[in-house]
């Protein structure tokens, strides 16, 4: 197998190559003055090579990153690659995974079909927002979980037995996964969203966090509104320390500032979205998967 370094995930790709021992193929990329995307594989793909392209598609420029991925897959296939696996830690459009209002599309399904047309045979992502959508993808598709890596980060920082909190009921499976590593209590808030205005409201029934260290676990932090709201509730209920962690720290605009201003002591994410809060690397998780380890 060869690892192709997608321009959006160069460091992660190189670390996966180091951990697996698989040869790394770099990619030159640029954006033309008119905004169009250009890529060129700098290494050779031999006939019958299996290749894995590692390319996250987080903002900014998620559409360009998707096009880079498609162009690389097409080139790899034309150079003779046998099987092309796309490893996309953060999949853009993954939250547009069902019809909420008539006239909308299921954008993530459209993306998957576009990727299939570019030559991708197999797909791997990390903590996709809703796993059910993968069954509709036109190629074998799998999601891995980075939650135990995030929980381990907090154990190493001395927070064993911390309370694992899901900011809404849908994220409870994430909090329970974290609880397996942390060994403390688990619970969730409730969140409701107005589908027209996008406004959300949160509430907590019977949540006892008085004097506790609480870590809020989510798949994505985008505007930070969910975490700010959760932190306020936790502080009102007497939580001693509040941390937050997520797999995909999009942290749009001033999200990190607003979260820290709300009393959250630390924000921890993975390098699915490279940035100041990407403190946990996905390289070991992806490498283990590529090596076929259980
Ligand atoms: C929603 O169900 C997700 O799991 C996240 O809670 C949500 O995407 C976070 O968005 P924001 O940071 O904008 O509140």
């Amino acid at each position: 197998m060869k690892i192709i370094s997608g321009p959006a995930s160069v460091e992660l790709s190189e670390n996966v190559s180091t951990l697996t021992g698989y040869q790394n193929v770099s990619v030159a990329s640029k954006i033309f003055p008119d905004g169009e995307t250009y890529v060129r594989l700098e290494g050779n793909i031999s006939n019958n090579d299996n290749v894995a392209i590692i390319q996250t598609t987080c903002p900014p420029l998620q559409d360009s990153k998707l096009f880079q991925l498609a162009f690389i897959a097409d080139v790899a296939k034309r150079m003779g690659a046998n099987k092309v696996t796309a490893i996309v830690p953060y999949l853009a459009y993954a939250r547009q995974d069902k019809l909420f209002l008539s006239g909308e599309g299921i954008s993530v399904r459209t993306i998957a079909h576009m990727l299939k047309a570019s030559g991708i045979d197999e797909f791997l992502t990390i903590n996709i927002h809703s796993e059910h959508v993968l069954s509709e993808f036109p190629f074998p598709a799998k999601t891995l979980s980075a939650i135990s890596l995030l929980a381990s980060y907090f154990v190493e920082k001395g927070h064993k037995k911390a309370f694992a909190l899901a900011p809404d009921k849908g994220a409870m499976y994430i909090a329970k996964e974290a609880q397996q590593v942390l060994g403390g209590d688990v619970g969730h808030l409730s969140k409701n969203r107005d589908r027209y205005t996008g406004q959300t409201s949160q509430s907590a029934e019977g949540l006892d966090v008085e004097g506790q260290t609480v870590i809020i676990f989510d798949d994505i932090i985008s505007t930070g509104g969910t975490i700010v709201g959760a932190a306020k509730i936790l502080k009102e209920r007497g939580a001693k320390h509040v941390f937050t962690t997520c797999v995909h720290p999009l942290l749009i605009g001033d999200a990190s500032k607003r979260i820290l201003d709300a009393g959250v002591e630390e924000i921890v994410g993975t390098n699915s979205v490279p940035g100041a809060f990407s403190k946990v690397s996905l390289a070991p998780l992806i490498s283990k998967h590529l090596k076929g380890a259980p």
Side-chain angles (χ1 to χ4, degrees):
M1 165 159 293
K2 286 181 178 166
I3 305 292
I4 302 182
S5 285
S9 295
V10 172
E11 196 181 325
L12 175 60
S13 306
E14 288 174 355
N15 290 341
V16 169
S17 286
T18 304
L19 289 176
T20 56
Y22 294 145
Q23 191 188 327
N24 193 275
V25 176
S26 59
V27 174
S29 69
K30 65 181 175 188
I31 305 280
F32 288 111
D34 60 2
E36 291 181 359
T37 297
Y38 165 95
V39 295
R40 186 174 62 81
L41 267 65
E42 294 185 309
N44 215 25
I45 305 290
S46 326
N47 262 351
N48 298 324
D49 269 344
N50 288 335
V51 301
I53 308 163
I54 303 183
Q55 166 85 337
T56 200
T57 58
C58 60
L61 299 175
Q62 53 270 58
D63 296 353
S64 297
K65 288 171 185 166
L66 282 166
F67 271 98
Q68 287 175 332
L69 174 61
F71 292 159
I72 295 167
D74 183 54
V75 174
K77 264 285 166 68
R78 286 171 196 275
M79 287 171 104
N82 175 42
K83 186 169 81 174
V84 176
T85 301
I87 301 180
V88 185
Y90 177 76
L91 177 63
Y93 297 96
R95 284 181 291 174
Q96 294 180 39
D97 61 352
K98 55 170 114 73
L99 296 179
F100 296 104
L101 299 173
S102 77
E104 292 178 345
I106 302 180
S107 310
V108 70
R109 205 168 57 189
T110 312
I111 297 293
H113 282 271
M114 284 166 55
L115 294 178
K116 168 79 180 169
S118 72
I120 287 165
D121 301 299
E122 205 174 77
F123 182 87
L124 179 71
T125 188
I126 312 292
N127 290 95
I128 193 159
H129 186 59
S130 301
E131 195 169 346
H132 73 86
V133 77
L134 295 178
S135 64
E136 294 183 38
F137 281 15
F139 32 50
K142 199 176 157 82
T143 180
L144 302 178
S145 178
I147 297 302
S148 61
L149 290 177
L150 293 170
S152 299
Y153 173 95
F154 285 97
V155 170
E156 279 159 30
K157 291 267 174 172
H159 300 301
K160 187 126 187 97
K161 299 281 177 206
F163 189 111
L165 183 90
D168 55 47
K169 205 169 172 194
M172 192 57 178
Y173 77 98
I174 290 177
K176 282 188 177 160
E177 217 179 308
Q179 185 197 25
Q180 299 290 313
V181 177
L182 292 166
D185 292 332
V186 67
H188 70 86
L189 303 180
S190 299
K191 184 169 88 174
N192 291 307
R193 185 182 295 273
D194 183 314
R195 290 285 161 210
Y196 289 93
T197 64
Q199 285 286 97
T200 57
S201 59
Q202 288 159 289
S203 59
E205 273 165 39
L207 186 76
D208 181 10
V209 290
E210 173 95 45
Q212 295 222 46
T213 292
V214 183
I215 306 170
I216 311 166
F217 283 84
D218 211 346
D219 56 343
I220 301 170
I221 303 177
S222 182
T223 64
T226 302
I227 302 301
V228 168
K232 281 184 186 148
I233 292 174
L234 292 171
K235 289 285 172 189
E236 280 161 18
R237 300 219 166 193
K240 191 170 175 195
H241 299 288
V242 178
F243 298 92
T244 191
T245 185
C246 70
V247 179
H248 309 296
L250 300 183
L251 295 166
I252 305 299
D254 64 350
S256 58
K257 182 180 180 311
R258 292 195 305 112
I259 291 169
L260 297 170
D261 286 351
V264 173
E265 293 174 38
E266 189 179 359
I267 305 168
V268 178
T270 79
N271 53 355
S272 84
V273 184
F277 300 96
S278 316
K279 300 173 188 178
V280 172
S281 176
L282 295 172
L285 183 68
I286 294 171
S287 302
K288 207 165 141 189
H289 176 82
L290 291 177
K291 283 295 199 179

